[in-house]
Amino acid sequence: MPDFNPVLSKEEIEKAVAELAQQISIDYHNREVVIIGVLKGAFIFLADLVRYLSIPVQIDFVRLSSYGCNTETSGSICLTKELEIDITGREVLVVEDIIDTGLSLEFLLEHLKSKEPKSVRLCTLIDKRERRDRQFIIDYVGRIVEQGFLVGYGLDYAEQYRHLPAIYDLKL
Ligand code: IMP
Ligand code: MG
């Protein structure tokens, strides 16, 4: 049986999400924004975040695939679900569950920029720094975590544990 070491409680997540939403609502006041969630991991975070926003938004999803059934990134990223909203000339906010090496985000940013949006900003619930390989400005960060393999609140290990309401460091 793996060990689950608590990293963020349900209450801590709720506070982080509300704070992010408040800042985003201020920054995008009187602007139209398209929120792009990165599936699958961001589905719970995005669902909570948008309910705290006080600005009107449009919502779309992409799906990137970089993990198989293990904790090592395979290095090859593919887009397995494309956007449905046209983002040309639009303000875009990408919502991620966690940024680890940054490889998948680098791939996604290139993909989005080819569609010529007016602006692209990044929001992640967790900025996991230890293995970062690509540098970007992350405009909105919920919590910085140095290391570990996190599960819960959308984050999975081999498709398990996404449903947990809190976030844990999984020790196999
Ligand atoms: P990156 O390309 O290394 O930044 O990682 C991209 C994706 O890998 C994230 O969006 C997550 O879906 C997944 N991932 C990275 N670290 C973790 C983790 O600690 N737990 C679960 N999924 C993770
Ligand atoms: Mg993800």
Side-chain angles (χ1 to χ4, degrees):
M1 187 61 190
D3 276 345
F4 292 85
N5 298 324
V7 172
L8 283 177
S9 68
K10 199 170 171 256
E11 292 71 26
E12 287 168 322
I13 295 171
E14 201 173 301
K15 185 165 177 286
V17 174
E19 285 170 2
L20 286 170
Q22 194 183 16
Q23 192 60 49
I24 292 166
S25 300
I26 293 169
D27 294 353
Y28 285 95
H29 184 66
N30 285 338
R31 287 154 70 186
E32 281 191 1
V33 61
V34 182
I35 293 198
I36 301 180
V38 184
L39 294 172
K40 298 181 194 172
F43 82 111
I44 295 181
F45 173 43
L46 185 144
D48 283 345
L49 183 75
V50 295
R51 281 178 286 182
Y52 280 109
L53 292 174
S54 55
I55 49 167
V57 292
Q58 294 183 349
I59 298 168
D60 204 350
F61 293 94
V62 290
R63 174 141 161 70
L64 297 177
S65 195
S66 62
Y67 277 86
C69 286
N70 55 54
T71 56
E72 291 304 312
T73 187
S74 69
S76 67
I77 294 141
C78 63
L79 185 83
T80 59
K81 188 215 165 288
E82 177 58 292
L83 280 178
E84 291 164 30
I85 294 178
D86 180 6
I87 60 163
T88 305
R90 308 287 310 272
E91 310 232 46
V92 166
L93 178 65
V94 175
V95 173
E96 262 282 22
D97 48 356
I98 187 165
I99 301 175
D100 181 19
T101 63
L103 289 173
S104 47
L105 204 54
E106 179 183 62
F107 173 90
L108 179 62
L109 289 176
E110 283 309 307
H111 180 71
L112 296 179
K113 282 177 185 159
S114 73
K115 297 174 187 289
E116 302 184 350
K118 183 173 175 193
S119 68
V120 180
R121 285 190 183 180
L122 305 176
C123 171
T124 187
L125 179 62
I126 294 166
D127 179 0
K128 192 171 81 174
R129 298 238 166 124
E130 186 191 39
R131 307 196 310 150
R132 186 66 42 79
D133 193 34
R134 299 294 196 270
Q135 303 306 324
F136 344 77
I137 294 165
I138 309 174
D139 305 275
Y140 305 98
V141 174
R143 286 290 180 271
I144 295 169
V145 173
E146 285 305 324
Q147 59 194 12
F149 192 83
L150 308 185
V151 297
Y153 198 71
L155 293 159
D156 74 308
Y157 169 67
E159 294 301 334
Q160 297 184 86
Y161 315 125
R162 290 194 198 274
H163 65 290
L164 300 175
I167 295 178
Y168 302 88
D169 186 354
L170 186 71
K171 295 278 181 249
L172 295 168

